[in-house]
């Protein structure tokens, strides 16, 4: 199984400041045949399903503010919120869908400092 | 725009069978580029993938080891939906259950979630 390790577990950032969340996979999730990394980032608020932010490690979902960006390849990935807004308070998860079982990181709780 | 609409009971007794259905709109359960999963979320286990089905000339099925032997995922092409059946539930199966489309060449889409409680 591919283990997805997220860090930190929680993060407190001032409004307008940068938030950075890391995700490390226990093996590469890069698919050579189509040059894609099969990593997804989600945002989850209380009592709601996960909301798609980023797929293929760095492609922003339509409608997601451009302050959200994803980067990385192979085994190391990052979600960056360039200027934290109040509505960004949530738990963020990474997920790999390179192979089954599909696996998720443990989540990073983002709060306002 | 792809949407997934879940349905199913929210309260079960131990040893009963959990049955959930996910109706697909905007895509086809038998699409050659999609894969359809059930995922659950609980405070103790986090987000846990349970099962997947997809059609590539034939139907394929994958199951999580943690529930293998108790779980079945079934596509229904006539109703464009897929379902989950989990047998012999225990309180440890209490969770929010989600259906989702997660595959290589499509953007992930999730259902709204169904809270399932198992209690005597």
């Amino acid at each position: 199984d591919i283990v997805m390790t997220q860090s930190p577990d929680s993060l407190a950032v001032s409004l307008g400041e940068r938030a950075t969340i890391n995700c490390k996979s226990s093996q590469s999730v890069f698919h050579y045949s189509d040059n894609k990394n099969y990593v997804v980032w989600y945002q989850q608020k209380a009592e709601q399903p996960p909301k798609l932010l980023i797929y293929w490690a760095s492609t922003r979902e339509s409608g997601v503010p451009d302050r959200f960006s994803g980067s990385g390849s192979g085994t190391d990935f990052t979600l960056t919120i360039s200027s934290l807004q109040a509505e960004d308070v949530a738990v963020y998860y990474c997920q790999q869908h390179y192979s089954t079982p599909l696996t998720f990181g443990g989540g990073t709780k983002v709060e306002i400092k | 725009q792809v949407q997934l609409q879940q349905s199913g009971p929210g309260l079960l007794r131990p040893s009963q069978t959990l049955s959930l259905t996910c109706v697909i709109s905007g895509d086809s359960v038998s699409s050659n580029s999609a894969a359809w999963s059930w995922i659950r979320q609980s405070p103790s286990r986090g987000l846990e993938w349970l099962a997947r089905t997809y059609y590539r000339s034939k139907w394929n099925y994958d199951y999580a080891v943690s529930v293998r032997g108790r779980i079945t995922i079934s596509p229904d092409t006539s109703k464009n939906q897929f379902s989950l059946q989990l047998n012999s539930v225990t309180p440890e199966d209490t969770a929010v259950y989600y259906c989702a489309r997660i595959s290589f060449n499509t953007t992930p889409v999730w259902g709204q979630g169904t809270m399932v409680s198992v209690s005597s």
Side-chain angles (χ1 to χ4, degrees), chain A residues 60-78:
Chain A
R60 192 181 307 112
E61 168 70 335
S62 175
V64 172
D66 61 7
R67 63 180 180 272
F68 291 94
S69 64
S71 62
S73 184
T75 61
D76 292 279
F77 302 92
T78 300

Side-chain angles (χ1 to χ4, degrees), chain A residues 19-23 39 41 54 57 69-73 76-80:
Chain A
T20 301
I21 301 168
N22 300 300
C23 182
V39 164
W41 287 97
I54 304 287
S69 64
S71 62
S73 184
D76 292 279
F77 302 92
T78 300
L79 176 70
T80 302

Side-chain angles (χ1 to χ4, degrees), chain A residues 31 34 36 38 40 42 44 48-50 52 55-56 61 93 95 97-98 100-102 104, chain B residues 37 39 41 47-49 52 62 64 98 102-113:
Chain A
H31 204 235
D34 57 12
K36 291 176 182 173
Y38 288 116
V40 180
Y42 299 100
Q44 188 175 33
Q48 295 182 22
L52 175 65
Y55 58 97
W56 300 332
E61 168 70 335
Y93 295 95
Q95 180 221 329
H97 59 113
Y98 178 86
T100 54
L102 309 187
F104 297 83
Chain B
S37 286
I39 295 161
Q41 184 175 28
L47 285 159
E48 180 186 17
W49 171 84
R52 179 178 75 171
D62 298 305
Y98 296 100
I102 302 174
S103 42
F104 278 176
N105 295 313
T106 60
T107 56
V109 177
W110 289 52
Q112 80 277 19

Side-chain angles (χ1 to χ4, degrees), chain B residues 54-73:
Chain B
Y54 58 96
Y55 186 78
R56 302 290 185 270
S57 302
K58 67 179 180 73
W59 286 103
N60 296 273
Y61 306 92
D62 298 305
Y63 296 106
V65 169
S66 62
V67 292
R68 195 168 292 161
R70 290 199 296 138
I71 193 169
T72 304
I73 186 171

